[in-house]
Amino acid sequence: MHILVTNDDGVQAPGLLALATAMRRVGRVTILAPDRNWSASGHVKTMHRPLRVRRETLADGSDAQTCDGAPSDCVAVALLGLVADVDLVVSGINPFANLGHDVTYSGTVTAAMEAVIHGLPGVAVSLDGSRLQQDYEPAANVAVNVVQSLIRHRLSPGTLLSVNVPGLPAREIRGVRITRQGQRLYRDELIQRDDPRGRPYYWIGGERPTGVPAEGTDFGALADGYVSVTPLQLDLTAYKQGQDMANWGWT
Ligand code: MN
């Protein structure tokens, strides 16, 4: 089992090191991750500039490669030929949860989406952490369990898993729930200020988002102290809406 490990926080982020270290218990690990923070960069394909890849040494002395593209670019560069014989892509560990509508913003999740585009299973791992609580060990162990299950049972083609782990000590995590995407409540605010030349500029600010902890959702699982595992697919078609629209009297 050859596992490509990436993230969206940059190659030197502690969550990547924790994930890569844990994945070595499952198989051979190759690391190719962005050279800087691409959080909330979405599903990117860099087409209008070259991508550079260089060697990097992680905090534990292990070898990695880093690229000046987005997380999804890193996966594409690897799977289009830079890294041979990859079986699985695992992305993370993001320091904050990726829930509900976050998934198309998230560089962590879109890296796993890119794996699916190349015909491989992808797993995104995020910790529902706080700025004070950033212990990646429990989430890294959860990631090993999820990946071992995936290898044993196989994912359907076109599917990726978004794993969100409560920011709790391991003994307080109550188990795993298979979930659907819940309702994110963004609290973004448009901040307008003037630059030194008197021209307005805009910044998307505001409070950290919340969400609706409904039964069966990713938010609900975390609120109850469970790991949330959401199977995702890139087919965003609204099938029910399509059936309704067939009766709209198109000519
Ligand atoms: Mn991130």
Side-chain angles (χ1 to χ4, degrees), residues 63-99:
D63 289 331
Q65 293 183 89
T66 184
C67 170
D68 62 356
S72 44
D73 289 322
C74 292
V75 173
V77 164
L79 300 185
L80 288 171
L82 186 73
V83 181
D85 303 324
V86 175
D87 299 303
L88 169 68
V89 175
V90 184
S91 173
I93 298 168
N94 199 62
F96 301 106
N98 281 303
L99 304 167

mmCIF file of all heavy atoms in Angstrom, residues 63-99:
data_model
loop_
_atom_site.group_PDB
_atom_site.id
_atom_site.type_symbol
_atom_site.label_atom_id
_atom_site.label_comp_id
_atom_site.label_asym_id
_atom_site.label_seq_id
_atom_site.Cartn_x
_atom_site.Cartn_y
_atom_site.Cartn_z
ATOM 1 N N ASP A 63 12.015 12.756 4.863
ATOM 2 C CA ASP A 63 12.015 13.413 3.556
ATOM 3 C C ASP A 63 10.601 13.722 3.105
ATOM 4 O O ASP A 63 9.685 12.924 3.299
ATOM 5 C CB ASP A 63 12.660 12.493 2.506
ATOM 6 C CG ASP A 63 14.156 12.379 2.714
ATOM 7 O OD1 ASP A 63 14.750 13.356 3.226
ATOM 8 O OD2 ASP A 63 14.713 11.330 2.357
ATOM 9 N N ALA A 64 10.457 14.874 2.475
ATOM 10 C CA ALA A 64 9.186 15.247 1.857
ATOM 11 C C ALA A 64 9.500 15.996 0.577
ATOM 12 O O ALA A 64 10.652 16.346 0.309
ATOM 13 C CB ALA A 64 8.374 16.121 2.809
ATOM 14 N N GLN A 65 8.464 16.206 -0.217
ATOM 15 C CA GLN A 65 8.570 17.111 -1.355
ATOM 16 C C GLN A 65 7.517 18.178 -1.185
ATOM 17 O O GLN A 65 6.452 17.940 -0.607
ATOM 18 C CB GLN A 65 8.361 16.371 -2.673
ATOM 19 C CG GLN A 65 9.473 15.379 -2.972
ATOM 20 C CD GLN A 65 9.263 14.731 -4.331
ATOM 21 O OE1 GLN A 65 9.708 15.235 -5.335
ATOM 22 N NE2 GLN A 65 8.559 13.614 -4.328
ATOM 23 N N THR A 66 7.831 19.371 -1.691
ATOM 24 C CA THR A 66 6.887 20.460 -1.589
ATOM 25 C C THR A 66 6.724 21.115 -2.949
ATOM 26 O O THR A 66 7.628 21.070 -3.775
ATOM 27 C CB THR A 66 7.334 21.464 -0.503
ATOM 28 O OG1 THR A 66 6.353 22.461 -0.351
ATOM 29 C CG2 THR A 66 8.658 22.084 -0.823
ATOM 30 N N CYS A 67 5.554 21.688 -3.185
ATOM 31 C CA CYS A 67 5.202 22.255 -4.478
ATOM 32 C C CYS A 67 4.605 23.626 -4.232
ATOM 33 O O CYS A 67 3.956 23.853 -3.201
ATOM 34 C CB CYS A 67 4.207 21.314 -5.157
ATOM 35 S SG CYS A 67 3.429 21.958 -6.645
ATOM 36 N N ASP A 68 4.800 24.563 -5.181
ATOM 37 C CA ASP A 68 4.253 25.910 -4.991
ATOM 38 C C ASP A 68 2.829 26.047 -5.529
ATOM 39 O O ASP A 68 2.345 27.160 -5.725
ATOM 40 C CB ASP A 68 5.190 26.979 -5.576
ATOM 41 C CG ASP A 68 5.385 26.835 -7.066
ATOM 42 O OD1 ASP A 68 4.857 25.866 -7.659
ATOM 43 O OD2 ASP A 68 6.067 27.707 -7.658
ATOM 44 N N GLY A 69 2.165 24.924 -5.757
ATOM 45 C CA GLY A 69 0.764 24.942 -6.162
ATOM 46 C C GLY A 69 -0.162 24.652 -5.003
ATOM 47 O O GLY A 69 0.256 24.509 -3.857
ATOM 48 N N ALA A 70 -1.451 24.560 -5.338
ATOM 49 C CA ALA A 70 -2.506 24.277 -4.362
ATOM 50 C C ALA A 70 -2.450 22.801 -3.953
ATOM 51 O O ALA A 70 -1.776 21.993 -4.601
ATOM 52 C CB ALA A 70 -3.861 24.588 -4.988
ATOM 53 N N PRO A 71 -3.179 22.439 -2.900
ATOM 54 C CA PRO A 71 -3.239 21.019 -2.513
ATOM 55 C C PRO A 71 -3.665 20.111 -3.671
ATOM 56 O O PRO A 71 -3.055 19.056 -3.901
ATOM 57 C CB PRO A 71 -4.273 21.009 -1.384
ATOM 58 C CG PRO A 71 -4.188 22.379 -0.797
ATOM 59 C CD PRO A 71 -3.885 23.304 -1.933
ATOM 60 N N SER A 72 -4.693 20.530 -4.411
ATOM 61 C CA SER A 72 -5.145 19.701 -5.541
ATOM 62 C C SER A 72 -4.083 19.639 -6.640
ATOM 63 O O SER A 72 -3.969 18.627 -7.335
ATOM 64 C CB SER A 72 -6.483 20.198 -6.087
ATOM 65 O OG SER A 72 -6.503 21.600 -6.208
ATOM 66 N N ASP A 73 -3.301 20.705 -6.799
ATOM 67 C CA ASP A 73 -2.179 20.655 -7.742
ATOM 68 C C ASP A 73 -1.144 19.626 -7.299
ATOM 69 O O ASP A 73 -0.586 18.896 -8.122
ATOM 70 C CB ASP A 73 -1.471 22.010 -7.825
ATOM 71 C CG ASP A 73 -2.282 23.073 -8.542
ATOM 72 O OD1 ASP A 73 -2.963 22.751 -9.533
ATOM 73 O OD2 ASP A 73 -2.198 24.236 -8.109
ATOM 74 N N CYS A 74 -0.864 19.592 -6.003
ATOM 75 C CA CYS A 74 0.117 18.623 -5.481
ATOM 76 C C CYS A 74 -0.320 17.199 -5.819
ATOM 77 O O CYS A 74 0.489 16.378 -6.261
ATOM 78 C CB CYS A 74 0.252 18.759 -3.960
ATOM 79 S SG CYS A 74 1.015 20.293 -3.425
ATOM 80 N N VAL A 75 -1.604 16.917 -5.629
ATOM 81 C CA VAL A 75 -2.117 15.571 -5.917
ATOM 82 C C VAL A 75 -2.040 15.298 -7.406
ATOM 83 O O VAL A 75 -1.625 14.210 -7.841
ATOM 84 C CB VAL A 75 -3.558 15.426 -5.374
ATOM 85 C CG1 VAL A 75 -4.172 14.100 -5.796
ATOM 86 C CG2 VAL A 75 -3.560 15.559 -3.851
ATOM 87 N N ALA A 76 -2.419 16.297 -8.219
ATOM 88 C CA ALA A 76 -2.382 16.105 -9.675
ATOM 89 C C ALA A 76 -0.948 15.854 -10.155
ATOM 90 O O ALA A 76 -0.702 14.929 -10.937
ATOM 91 C CB ALA A 76 -2.982 17.316 -10.376
ATOM 92 N N VAL A 77 -0.014 16.676 -9.686
ATOM 93 C CA VAL A 77 1.391 16.522 -10.098
ATOM 94 C C VAL A 77 1.899 15.128 -9.731
ATOM 95 O O VAL A 77 2.571 14.461 -10.530
ATOM 96 C CB VAL A 77 2.260 17.624 -9.446
ATOM 97 C CG1 VAL A 77 3.739 17.296 -9.527
ATOM 98 C CG2 VAL A 77 1.974 18.985 -10.087
ATOM 99 N N ALA A 78 1.535 14.681 -8.530
ATOM 100 C CA ALA A 78 1.976 13.347 -8.096
ATOM 101 C C ALA A 78 1.367 12.268 -8.977
ATOM 102 O O ALA A 78 2.079 11.414 -9.518
ATOM 103 C CB ALA A 78 1.583 13.120 -6.627
ATOM 104 N N LEU A 79 0.043 12.324 -9.154
ATOM 105 C CA LEU A 79 -0.653 11.207 -9.802
ATOM 106 C C LEU A 79 -0.503 11.233 -11.325
ATOM 107 O O LEU A 79 -0.716 10.216 -11.981
ATOM 108 C CB LEU A 79 -2.126 11.196 -9.392
ATOM 109 C CG LEU A 79 -2.370 11.047 -7.875
ATOM 110 C CD1 LEU A 79 -3.864 10.925 -7.584
ATOM 111 C CD2 LEU A 79 -1.614 9.851 -7.292
ATOM 112 N N LEU A 80 -0.148 12.393 -11.879
ATOM 113 C CA LEU A 80 0.115 12.451 -13.324
ATOM 114 C C LEU A 80 1.505 11.935 -13.664
ATOM 115 O O LEU A 80 1.876 11.926 -14.832
ATOM 116 C CB LEU A 80 -0.071 13.881 -13.837
ATOM 117 C CG LEU A 80 -1.532 14.365 -13.892
ATOM 118 C CD1 LEU A 80 -1.589 15.864 -14.201
ATOM 119 C CD2 LEU A 80 -2.335 13.578 -14.927
ATOM 120 N N GLY A 81 2.291 11.538 -12.654
ATOM 121 C CA GLY A 81 3.547 10.886 -12.994
ATOM 122 C C GLY A 81 4.730 11.161 -12.094
ATOM 123 O O GLY A 81 5.706 10.430 -12.143
ATOM 124 N N LEU A 82 4.674 12.210 -11.251
ATOM 125 C CA LEU A 82 5.841 12.500 -10.420
ATOM 126 C C LEU A 82 6.067 11.400 -9.387
ATOM 127 O O LEU A 82 7.207 11.090 -9.043
ATOM 128 C CB LEU A 82 5.674 13.849 -9.710
ATOM 129 C CG LEU A 82 6.912 14.297 -8.939
ATOM 130 C CD1 LEU A 82 8.021 14.746 -9.885
ATOM 131 C CD2 LEU A 82 6.590 15.406 -7.946
ATOM 132 N N VAL A 83 4.975 10.819 -8.877
ATOM 133 C CA VAL A 83 5.070 9.758 -7.867
ATOM 134 C C VAL A 83 4.424 8.497 -8.453
ATOM 135 O O VAL A 83 3.253 8.522 -8.837
ATOM 136 C CB VAL A 83 4.362 10.172 -6.557
ATOM 137 C CG1 VAL A 83 4.492 9.072 -5.505
ATOM 138 C CG2 VAL A 83 4.938 11.489 -6.023
ATOM 139 N N ALA A 84 5.169 7.430 -8.522
ATOM 140 C CA ALA A 84 4.679 6.202 -9.168
ATOM 141 C C ALA A 84 3.885 5.343 -8.189
ATOM 142 O O ALA A 84 4.153 5.326 -6.988
ATOM 143 C CB ALA A 84 5.869 5.402 -9.703
ATOM 144 N N ASP A 85 2.903 4.635 -8.747
ATOM 145 C CA ASP A 85 2.211 3.544 -8.043
ATOM 146 C C ASP A 85 1.560 3.956 -6.717
ATOM 147 O O ASP A 85 1.663 3.239 -5.724
ATOM 148 C CB ASP A 85 3.192 2.381 -7.772
ATOM 149 C CG ASP A 85 3.813 1.872 -9.056
ATOM 150 O OD1 ASP A 85 3.109 1.855 -10.081
ATOM 151 O OD2 ASP A 85 5.008 1.510 -9.030
ATOM 152 N N VAL A 86 0.888 5.104 -6.723
ATOM 153 C CA VAL A 86 0.141 5.508 -5.523
ATOM 154 C C VAL A 86 -1.173 4.727 -5.481
ATOM 155 O O VAL A 86 -1.843 4.556 -6.493
ATOM 156 C CB VAL A 86 -0.133 7.033 -5.526
ATOM 157 C CG1 VAL A 86 -1.007 7.440 -4.352
ATOM 158 C CG2 VAL A 86 1.177 7.805 -5.515
ATOM 159 N N ASP A 87 -1.545 4.249 -4.304
ATOM 160 C CA ASP A 87 -2.804 3.510 -4.126
ATOM 161 C C ASP A 87 -3.900 4.352 -3.486
ATOM 162 O O ASP A 87 -5.087 4.049 -3.601
ATOM 163 C CB ASP A 87 -2.567 2.285 -3.221
ATOM 164 C CG ASP A 87 -1.560 1.322 -3.820
ATOM 165 O OD1 ASP A 87 -1.804 0.863 -4.953
ATOM 166 O OD2 ASP A 87 -0.537 1.050 -3.172
ATOM 167 N N LEU A 88 -3.493 5.355 -2.722
ATOM 168 C CA LEU A 88 -4.450 6.065 -1.870
ATOM 169 C C LEU A 88 -3.870 7.446 -1.543
ATOM 170 O O LEU A 88 -2.660 7.574 -1.352
ATOM 171 C CB LEU A 88 -4.619 5.245 -0.568
ATOM 172 C CG LEU A 88 -5.362 5.856 0.596
ATOM 173 C CD1 LEU A 88 -6.838 6.022 0.259
ATOM 174 C CD2 LEU A 88 -5.211 4.966 1.829
ATOM 175 N N VAL A 89 -4.750 8.455 -1.475
ATOM 176 C CA VAL A 89 -4.332 9.800 -1.091
ATOM 177 C C VAL A 89 -4.998 10.152 0.240
ATOM 178 O O VAL A 89 -6.214 10.004 0.385
ATOM 179 C CB VAL A 89 -4.719 10.840 -2.170
ATOM 180 C CG1 VAL A 89 -4.377 12.255 -1.707
ATOM 181 C CG2 VAL A 89 -4.027 10.519 -3.491
ATOM 182 N N VAL A 90 -4.197 10.600 1.196
ATOM 183 C CA VAL A 90 -4.730 11.019 2.497
ATOM 184 C C VAL A 90 -4.258 12.453 2.745
ATOM 185 O O VAL A 90 -3.076 12.761 2.581
ATOM 186 C CB VAL A 90 -4.268 10.085 3.634
ATOM 187 C CG1 VAL A 90 -4.908 10.490 4.947
ATOM 188 C CG2 VAL A 90 -4.633 8.643 3.309
ATOM 189 N N SER A 91 -5.186 13.315 3.137
ATOM 190 C CA SER A 91 -4.920 14.742 3.276
ATOM 191 C C SER A 91 -5.240 15.209 4.694
ATOM 192 O O SER A 91 -6.261 14.841 5.262
ATOM 193 C CB SER A 91 -5.793 15.480 2.252
ATOM 194 O OG SER A 91 -5.714 16.861 2.435
ATOM 195 N N GLY A 92 -4.349 16.008 5.267
ATOM 196 C CA GLY A 92 -4.582 16.545 6.603
ATOM 197 C C GLY A 92 -3.293 16.527 7.426
ATOM 198 O O GLY A 92 -2.219 16.389 6.870
ATOM 199 N N ILE A 93 -3.383 16.562 8.718
ATOM 200 C CA ILE A 93 -4.616 16.718 9.471
ATOM 201 C C ILE A 93 -4.886 18.209 9.595
ATOM 202 O O ILE A 93 -4.039 18.950 10.112
ATOM 203 C CB ILE A 93 -4.503 16.083 10.880
ATOM 204 C CG1 ILE A 93 -4.261 14.581 10.749
ATOM 205 C CG2 ILE A 93 -5.748 16.362 11.709
ATOM 206 C CD1 ILE A 93 -3.858 13.927 12.083
ATOM 207 N N ASN A 94 -6.045 18.650 9.098
ATOM 208 C CA ASN A 94 -6.359 20.069 9.201
ATOM 209 C C ASN A 94 -6.633 20.429 10.667
ATOM 210 O O ASN A 94 -7.284 19.657 11.369
ATOM 211 C CB ASN A 94 -7.591 20.378 8.341
ATOM 212 C CG ASN A 94 -7.707 21.837 8.025
ATOM 213 O OD1 ASN A 94 -6.839 22.403 7.389
ATOM 214 N ND2 ASN A 94 -8.767 22.453 8.499
ATOM 215 N N PRO A 95 -6.159 21.596 11.125
ATOM 216 C CA PRO A 95 -6.371 21.933 12.542
ATOM 217 C C PRO A 95 -7.806 22.275 12.905
ATOM 218 O O PRO A 95 -8.140 22.323 14.093
ATOM 219 C CB PRO A 95 -5.462 23.149 12.758
ATOM 220 C CG PRO A 95 -5.177 23.689 11.411
ATOM 221 C CD PRO A 95 -5.278 22.554 10.449
ATOM 222 N N PHE A 96 -8.652 22.499 11.889
ATOM 223 C CA PHE A 96 -10.059 22.839 12.160
ATOM 224 C C PHE A 96 -10.970 21.968 11.312
ATOM 225 O O PHE A 96 -10.567 21.473 10.258
ATOM 226 C CB PHE A 96 -10.314 24.329 11.896
ATOM 227 C CG PHE A 96 -9.453 25.224 12.744
ATOM 228 C CD1 PHE A 96 -8.384 25.911 12.187
ATOM 229 C CD2 PHE A 96 -9.679 25.338 14.112
ATOM 230 C CE1 PHE A 96 -7.572 26.720 12.973
ATOM 231 C CE2 PHE A 96 -8.866 26.145 14.900
ATOM 232 C CZ PHE A 96 -7.814 26.834 14.335
ATOM 233 N N ALA A 97 -12.215 21.807 11.783
ATOM 234 C CA ALA A 97 -13.159 20.910 11.126
ATOM 235 C C ALA A 97 -13.537 21.411 9.732
ATOM 236 O O ALA A 97 -13.504 22.609 9.445
ATOM 237 C CB ALA A 97 -14.413 20.780 11.980
ATOM 238 N N ASN A 98 -13.895 20.477 8.860
ATOM 239 C CA ASN A 98 -14.427 20.779 7.531
ATOM 240 C C ASN A 98 -15.791 20.113 7.418
ATOM 241 O O ASN A 98 -15.883 18.909 7.186
ATOM 242 C CB ASN A 98 -13.472 20.276 6.440
ATOM 243 C CG ASN A 98 -12.300 21.217 6.260
ATOM 244 O OD1 ASN A 98 -12.488 22.399 5.987
ATOM 245 N ND2 ASN A 98 -11.093 20.706 6.431
ATOM 246 N N LEU A 99 -16.838 20.899 7.597
ATOM 247 C CA LEU A 99 -18.192 20.365 7.770
ATOM 248 C C LEU A 99 -19.162 21.086 6.842
ATOM 249 O O LEU A 99 -18.950 22.243 6.485
ATOM 250 C CB LEU A 99 -18.635 20.585 9.229
ATOM 251 C CG LEU A 99 -17.709 19.996 10.290
ATOM 252 C CD1 LEU A 99 -18.054 20.538 11.673
ATOM 253 C CD2 LEU A 99 -17.809 18.478 10.283
#
